[in-house]
C-alpha cells in the first residue's frame, strides 16, 4: 500500500501546490479538488503516483481516485495546508448559459452536494438494517426501548436529511452554512411539521395571508439543494440594501425573513413535486420494462460510476424508500455490478504474473465483494486492463435480470456487498434470502469465468521481467527520444490515436535527438527524414514518427545519421530534429512509436512511465 504522507506530498506537488487549491473534499474513494488553475496540474504525473488509481475532471472538480484510504490521504493533505471545505471568495468564471450547460450545472449540483453525505447515509442505513435483523432473529422486540433508540440512530440521517443537504450544498454554492442550516431547520421543526399535518387534514395553513401547501420535508433532498442555491443570491441582495451600521443584525434577519417563506411557500413544494416526478419516471420505466430495466442499469452501472453519474440516483432512491419502504430497480442492479467487478478482479489475481497487480486485484476484489466499494476494482483492474470491464458489463446485465425476475428490492441504500446484502431481505418473503445468495454467487462466478475466457493483456512486473525470460520471443522497446509519455488517445490524428497501424505509444519530446529503440536493421528512412523504420533482430518492426503532419515541413527540421540497411544497436543515435523549429512552424511535435507487426505478438504492454529517455523501456512484447 502506498504511503499516505508520501502520496499526499506527490499529489500536492503535481497539482501546483497548496496555493493552487481553492477547496478540497473527499467521498468514498476520491479526493475532490477545486483548483484555481487546472493548467498547473500535471495530469500524467498524477496518474503515475504510486497509489493513485485514476483521474477525472468533472463539474469544476479535479478528482484524484485513491481508493479506500482516501480519508488518510485527505488528512495528510490537510496537514500540508490544503484548504478543505472552505469558502472561496474568488470570482467564478461565468460560462455561456445553454440548455446543455444548465443540465451540466444541475447534475453537478446534485453530485457535488450528495457525495459528502454518502458516509452518513450508509451509516444510518446499516444501523437500520442491524435493528431489523435483531428484530427478525428475536433478539429485540419492536416495543423495546433499545430497538427504538437503535432505529432512531439509524433514521436520524434521513429524518434530518434536509439539514445535512443544506450544509453540503452551502459549501458547494458558497452560501452561509449556518443560515442554510437554519432555513432547512424550519422544514423539520416540530411546530412547522405539526402545522403541515393539520393542513393535510384540511385545516388551512397560511403565512401572511399566503397559502402554504402541506408538505413533509423529512427524507427529502431537492428542496434544500435549490433553497441553498437561492440563498447565495438572497444574501447578496440583503447585503446591498442594508446600511453598514446595521448589517450585523439587520442583514441576517432579512435573509431569514426572505428565504424561509420562499422555502416553505415556493421552493419546498416545487422541489417535492420535482422529486416525486423523478421517482414516478423510475417507477414508469420499471413498470414498462420489468426485469429488463434492472438488467440494463446493472450493465451500465460501472460506466455511471466512472463518470460520477451514479450519484444522480441518490435523491430518487431515498425518496422512493421513504414513500414505499423499498427500491426495486437501481439498488438490485448494483448487486451484479459491484460483485462482478470483484469476481473479475479475483480472476486477474489468479492469472497475472505481476506481483503488484495480484496484490492490487485481491484488495480490490475484497473491497467490492465484502463492502460493495468498487472504485479500486474499477480503476485499478477493469479499466486498466480493459477486457475485465467487458466481463463486468455482461455479468451486470445477467445478474440484474435475475434480480429483477426474483423481485428483489432494497430497504436501504448501502452499496450492495456481502455485509450489506441484508438490505434485500424481505421479512414477509423468506425466499428473498435465497435469491440474494443466488444473485451474489452468480455475479462473482460468472464474471470470474468470463474474465478467464476473454483474457487480458498482463502487465509485466518490470521491463527486466521480459529480458530475464531468456528467450528471443520476449522483447522490450526503448524510448527513441527524451520526453514525457502521454495517452495515445489524446493524439490529434485518427490513424495513431486509434492505433490503426499497430500498438502505439505517444511521447511529448523534450530533447532533439532520435535513438534506436531496438537492436536491428534500418528498413526505411522517409525522404523528409521525419520517420524511420527499424526491424529488430528479434523480428519486431518499429516505426518512429516525429511530430504530427510534420511531413509538410519537407525535412527542414530533421537530419538522419543512418541509411536504409544500416545495423544499429539500441540507444545509437539515428537522427536529430529541431524541436523549437517544429513548434514555431505550428506543428505538434508529439512523437509516435508504433509496433507495425502487432499481430505477430500475443501481447504488447506499455510500461508505467512518465519521463523517459534513451534506454528507458516503454513497450514489452510477448511473441505468439
Amino acid at each position: 500500500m502506498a504511503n499516505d504522507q508520501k502520496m499526499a506530498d506527490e499529489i500536492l506537488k503535481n497539482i501546483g501546490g497548496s496555493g493552487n487549491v481553492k477547496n478540497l473534499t473527499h467521498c468514498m474513494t476520491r479526493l475532490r479538488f477545486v483548483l484555481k488553475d487546472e493548467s498547473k496540474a500535471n495530469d500524467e504525473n498524477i496518474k503515475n503516483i504510486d497509489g493513485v488509481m485514476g483521474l477525472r475532471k468533472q463539474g469544476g472538480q479535479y478528482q484524484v481516485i485513491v481508493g479506500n484510504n482516501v480519508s488518510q490521504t485527505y488528512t495528510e493533505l490537510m496537514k500540508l495546508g490544503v484548504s478543505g471545505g472552505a469558502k472561496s471568495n474568488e470570482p467564478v468564471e461565468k460560462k455561456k448559459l445553454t440548455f446543455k450547460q444548465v443540465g451540466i450545472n444541475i447534475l453537478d449540483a446534485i453530485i457535488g452536494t450528495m457525495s459528502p453525505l454518502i458516509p452518513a447515509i450508509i451509516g444510518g442505513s446499516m444501523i437500520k438494517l442491524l435493528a431489523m435483523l435483531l428484530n427478525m432473529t428475536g433478539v429485540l422486540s419492536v416495543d423495546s426501548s433499545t430497538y427504538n433508540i437503535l432505529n432512531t440512530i439509524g433514521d436520524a440521517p434521513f429524518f434530518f436529511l434536509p439539514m445535512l443537504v443544506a450544509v453540503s450544498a452551502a459549501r458547494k454554492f458558497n452560501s452561509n452554512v449556518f443560515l442554510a442550516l437554519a432555513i432547512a431547520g424550519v422544514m423539520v421543526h416540530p411546530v412547522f411539521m405539526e402545522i403541515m399535518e393539520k393542513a393535510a387534514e384540511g385545516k388551512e395553513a397560511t403565512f401572511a395571508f399566503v397559502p402554504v401547501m402541506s408538505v413533509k420535508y423529512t427524507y427529502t433532498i431537492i428542496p434544500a439543494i435549490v433553497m441553498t442555491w437561492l440563498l447565495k443570491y438572497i444574501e447578496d441582495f440583503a447585503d446591498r440594501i442594508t446600511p453598514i451600521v446595521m448589517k450585523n443584525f439587520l442583514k441576517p434577519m432579512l435573509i431569514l425573513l426572505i428565504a424561509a417563506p420562499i422555502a416553505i411557500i415556493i421552493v419546498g413544494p416545487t422541489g417535492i413535486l420535482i422529486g416525486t416526478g423523478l421517482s414516478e419516471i423510475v417507477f414508469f420505466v420499471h413498470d414498462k420494462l420489468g426485469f429488463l430495466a434492472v438488467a440494463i442499469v446493472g450493465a451500465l452501472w460501472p460506466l455511471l460510476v466512472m463518470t460520477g453519474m451514479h450519484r444522480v440516483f441518490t435523491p430518487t432512491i431515498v425518496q422512493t424508500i421513504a414513500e414505499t419502504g423499498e427500491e426495486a430497480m437501481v439498488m438490485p442492479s448494483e448487486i451484479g455490478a459491484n460483485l462482478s467487478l470483484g469476481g473479475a478482479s479475483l480472476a486477474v489475481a489468479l492469472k497475472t504474473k505481476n506481483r503488484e497487480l495480484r496484490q492490487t486485484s485481491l484488495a480490490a476484489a475484497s473491497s467490492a465483494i465484502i463492502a460493495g466499494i468498487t472504485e479500486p476494482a474499477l480503476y485499478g483492474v477493469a479499466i486498466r486492463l480493459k477486457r475485465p470491464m467487458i466481463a463486468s458489463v455482461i455479468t451486470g446485465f445477467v445478474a440484474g435480470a435475475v434480480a429483477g425476475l426474483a423481485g428483489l428490492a432494497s430497504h436501504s441504500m448501502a452499496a450492495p456487498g456481502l455485509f450489506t446484502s441484508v438490505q434485500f431481505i424481505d421479512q414477509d418473503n423468506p425466499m428473498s434470502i435465497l435469491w440474494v445468495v443466488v444473485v451474489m454467487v452468480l455475479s462473482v462466478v460468472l464474471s470470474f469465468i468470463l474474465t478467464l475466457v476473454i483474457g487480458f493483456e498482463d502487465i509485466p512486473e518490470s521491463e527486466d521481467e521480459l529480458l530475464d525470460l531468456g528467450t528471443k520471443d520476449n522483447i522490450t522497446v526503448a524510448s527513441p527520444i527524451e520526453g514525457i509519455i502521454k495517452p495515445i488517445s489524446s493524439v490529434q490524428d485518427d490513424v495513431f490515436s486509434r492505433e490503426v497501424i499497430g500498438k502505439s505509444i505517444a511521447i511529448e519530446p523534450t530533447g532533439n535527438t532520435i535513438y534506436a529503440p531496438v537492436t536491428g536493421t534500418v528498413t526505411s528512412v522517409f525522404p523528409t527524414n521525419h520517420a524511420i523504420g527499424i526491424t529488430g533482430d528479434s523480428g519486431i518492426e518499429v516505426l518512429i514518427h516525429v511530430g504530427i503532419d510534420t511531413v509538410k515541413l519537407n525535412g527542414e527540421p530533421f537530419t538522419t545519421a543512418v541509411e536504409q540497411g544500416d545495423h544499429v544497436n539500441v540507444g545509437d543515435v539515428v537522427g536529430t530534429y529541431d524541436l523549437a523549429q517544429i513548434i514555431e512552424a505550428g506543428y505538434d511535435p508529439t512523437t509516435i512509436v508504433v509496433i507495425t507487426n502487432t499481430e505477430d505478438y500475443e501481447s504488447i504492454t506499455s510500461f508505467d512511465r512518465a519521463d523517459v529517455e534513451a534506454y528507458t523501456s516503454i513497450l514489452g512484447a510477448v511473441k505468439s
Side-chain angles (χ1 to χ4, degrees), residues 136 406-408 424-435:
M136 287 177 61
L408 291 181
F424 296 98
I425 296 175
D426 186 349
Q427 289 177 286
D428 299 324
N429 180 18
M431 282 296 294
S432 62
I433 299 175
L434 176 61
W435 280 114

Side-chain angles (χ1 to χ4, degrees), residues 60-118:
Q61 289 186 341
Y62 192 87
Q63 302 175 9
V64 181
I65 303 152
V66 298
N68 295 339
N69 63 328
V70 64
S71 60
Q72 293 95 319
T73 310
Y74 174 85
T75 300
E76 292 298 332
L77 284 163
M78 292 296 99
K79 292 177 183 177
L80 294 172
V82 174
S83 176
K87 180 175 177 178
S88 172
N89 293 319
E90 297 198 12
V92 179
E93 180 183 354
K94 291 186 177 180
K95 298 180 180 179
K96 184 178 179 181
L97 202 62
T98 62
F99 283 114
K100 179 180 178 181
Q101 189 59 48
V102 169
I104 291 173
N105 290 345
I106 291 173
L107 293 177
D108 177 52
I110 295 173
I111 294 170
T113 299
M114 294 309 301
S115 292
L117 303 183
I118 297 303

Side-chain angles (χ1 to χ4, degrees), residues 282-297 329:
V282 172
F283 291 144
F284 176 80
V285 172
H286 192 210
D287 288 343
K288 292 298 181 182
L289 297 180
F291 73 93
L292 280 177
V294 186
I296 292 169
V297 176
M329 188 177 87

Side-chain angles (χ1 to χ4, degrees), residues 33 379 563 600:
F33 292 93
Y379 293 101
E563 296 179 354
D600 294 340

Side-chain angles (χ1 to χ4, degrees), residues 362-417:
L362 286 173
S366 300
S367 176
I369 294 172
I370 295 174
I373 297 175
T374 59
E375 276 86 349
L378 182 63
Y379 293 101
V381 180
I383 295 175
R384 187 180 182 186
L385 302 178
K386 299 181 179 65
R387 293 180 191 171
M389 176 65 85
I390 299 173
S392 175
V393 169
I394 295 172
T395 302
F397 183 88
V398 175
V402 174
L405 287 168
L408 291 181
S410 175
H411 303 88
S412 183
M413 66 162 294

Side-chain angles (χ1 to χ4, degrees), residues 264-582:
I264 62 176
I265 295 173
I266 302 173
V267 173
T270 304
I272 293 296
L273 291 175
I274 293 172
T276 302
L278 293 174
S279 296
E280 290 298 328
I281 292 173
V282 172
F283 291 144
F284 176 80
V285 172
H286 192 210
D287 288 343
K288 292 298 181 182
L289 297 180
F291 73 93
L292 280 177
V294 186
I296 292 169
V297 176
L300 294 177
W301 195 256
L303 307 178
L304 295 172
V305 173
M306 284 171 56
T307 60
M309 288 288 291
H310 61 305
R311 296 296 183 213
V312 174
F313 287 100
T314 302
T316 303
I317 294 170
V318 171
Q319 186 158 339
T320 301
I321 292 175
E323 292 176 355
T324 67
E326 61 182 31
E327 199 282 323
M329 188 177 87
V330 180
M331 294 300 297
S333 73
E334 279 192 68
I335 304 174
N338 288 359
L339 272 69
S340 69
L341 286 166
S345 297
L346 284 176
V348 171
L350 175 67
K351 194 173 181 182
T352 183
K353 296 178 181 179
N354 185 312
R355 286 172 293 180
E356 182 180 353
L357 179 58
R358 183 178 296 111
Q359 292 174 2
T360 298
S361 300
L362 286 173
S366 300
S367 176
I369 294 172
I370 295 174
I373 297 175
T374 59
E375 276 86 349
L378 182 63
Y379 293 101
V381 180
I383 295 175
R384 187 180 182 186
L385 302 178
K386 299 181 179 65
R387 293 180 191 171
M389 176 65 85
I390 299 173
S392 175
V393 169
I394 295 172
T395 302
F397 183 88
V398 175
V402 174
L405 287 168
L408 291 181
S410 175
H411 303 88
S412 183
M413 66 162 294
L418 182 62
F419 287 167
T420 57
S421 59
V422 291
Q423 66 190 302
F424 296 98
I425 296 175
D426 186 349
Q427 289 177 286
D428 299 324
N429 180 18
M431 282 296 294
S432 62
I433 299 175
L434 176 61
W435 280 114
V436 171
V437 173
V438 168
V439 174
M440 292 179 70
V441 172
L442 172 66
S443 302
V444 175
V445 173
L446 181 58
S447 60
F448 181 87
I449 293 172
L450 285 175
T451 301
L452 293 179
V453 172
I454 297 172
F456 57 90
E457 291 187 10
D458 200 5
I459 300 175
E461 195 162 10
S462 70
E463 59 269 28
D464 294 332
E465 180 184 275
L466 290 173
L467 297 175
D468 290 342
L469 292 175
T471 167
K472 67 179 182 178
D473 292 336
N474 302 282
I475 310 106
T476 56
V477 176
S479 176
I481 63 169
E482 298 171 347
I484 301 169
I485 298 289
K486 60 187 292 187
I488 190 65
S489 59
S490 68
V491 176
Q492 299 299 308
D493 185 299
D494 286 346
V495 173
F496 292 130
S497 64
R498 296 179 181 177
E499 300 183 302
V500 174
I501 58 177
K503 178 68 177 179
S504 307
I505 198 165
I507 307 170
E508 184 178 335
T510 56
N512 293 282
T513 305
I514 308 171
Y515 304 93
V518 294
T519 295
T521 302
V522 177
T523 50
S524 63
V525 178
F526 281 62
T528 52
N529 297 331
H530 75 290
I532 298 173
I534 300 175
T535 298
D537 291 344
S538 63
I540 194 166
E541 299 172 5
V542 183
L543 172 66
I544 309 161
H545 192 287
V546 181
I548 306 300
D549 289 334
T550 47
V551 65
K552 297 177 183 177
L553 293 174
N554 297 316
E556 289 184 11
F558 304 97
T559 60
T560 57
V562 294
E563 296 179 354
Q564 185 174 335
D566 287 350
H567 190 273
V568 294
N569 294 315
V570 61
D572 286 351
V573 175
V574 297
T576 61
Y577 56 93
D578 189 328
L579 178 59
Q581 187 177 349
I582 295 173

Side-chain angles (χ1 to χ4, degrees), residues 199-278:
E201 295 170 358
K203 184 177 180 181
E204 185 182 16
T206 62
F207 179 80
F209 305 107
V210 178
V212 179
M213 183 184 297
S214 175
V215 176
K216 184 179 180 181
Y217 290 104
T218 54
Y219 296 85
T220 64
I221 290 170
I222 294 178
I225 292 180
V226 177
M227 193 60 237
T228 307
W229 170 67
L230 283 176
L231 180 61
K232 176 64 178 174
Y233 298 96
I234 295 172
E235 286 183 72
D236 292 341
F237 171 73
D239 186 61
R240 287 198 303 270
I241 66 172
T242 51
I244 294 177
V245 296
M246 304 173 69
K247 277 190 190 296
N248 286 345
F249 64 90
L250 185 58
K251 178 183 172 182
M253 184 189 80
L254 285 175
I255 291 171
L256 288 176
L257 198 57
I258 296 170
I262 290 176
I264 62 176
I265 295 173
I266 302 173
V267 173
T270 304
I272 293 296
L273 291 175
I274 293 172
T276 302
L278 293 174

